[in-house]
Amino acid sequence: MSHYTAWTDVPIRFNDVDMLGHVNNTIYPVFFETGRAGVTRGPESPPMIPGRGFVIAQLTVRYLKPITWPGTVNVGTRVLAIGNSSFTMAQAVFMNGTCAAAGECVIVYIDLASGKSTSLEEQRRKYFEKYQ
């Protein structure tokens, strides 16, 4: 748990649960998204430049333990690598201190009009370095 640099608490909703009483596997990427948003769009993050945005190029999830409702999960997030126009984040979902899922996500910074990747500004790159 100690190697994650940002933490987000996410309450489990009743509608996140399947008929077996477990959090549905499609919800874990939503937990990851909430954790990523705390870094990429958090109050300390550089403001988004009009016409630029982030897209997910790759997302992997390793399911390790089932989670049940009710409760709150803790999402750990950290930046693993920063490239010219993309960065990779590692994330994990914990419940009561036990890791239930882990994953990685490659995020690309794009020009929204062209749909093509564009270089991360130096200010944004330095901001993401704080989460390595």
Side-chain angles (χ1 to χ4, degrees):
M1 286 181 72
S2 64
H3 66 278
Y4 295 101
T5 54
W7 289 93
T8 307
D9 294 337
V10 183
I12 301 168
R13 305 168 303 174
F14 178 75
N15 65 330
D16 293 340
V17 179
D18 61 23
M19 292 178 53
L20 298 174
H22 302 119
V23 170
N24 188 284
N25 65 326
T26 63
I27 301 302
Y28 291 79
V30 176
F31 292 154
F32 287 160
E33 177 184 48
T34 303
R36 283 193 309 273
V39 174
T40 61
R41 306 271 183 159
E44 296 177 17
S45 67
M48 291 301 292
I49 293 176
R52 301 233 175 126
F54 295 116
V55 294
I56 303 295
Q58 181 179 345
L59 174 68
T60 60
V61 181
R62 290 179 303 285
Y63 300 96
L64 305 170
K65 300 258 184 205
I67 297 175
T68 57
W69 176 85
T72 298
V73 296
N74 313 103
V75 180
T77 303
R78 97 176 260 223
V79 174
L80 287 178
I82 304 169
N84 181 52
S85 61
S86 66
F87 56 100
T88 303
M89 291 183 140
Q91 295 186 278
V93 174
F94 294 85
M95 182 144 188
N96 300 322
T98 300
C99 186
E104 289 185 10
C105 181
V106 176
I107 302 168
V108 180
Y109 194 49
I110 66 164
D111 176 277
L112 297 175
S114 69
K116 296 185 187 242
S117 65
T118 188
S119 296
L120 292 162
E121 305 89 23
E122 190 61 28
Q123 177 188 20
R124 195 168 310 280
R125 180 181 307 283
K126 286 185 179 191
Y127 170 76
F128 288 140
E129 286 173 357
K130 294 189 311 187
Y131 291 95
Q132 287 187 299

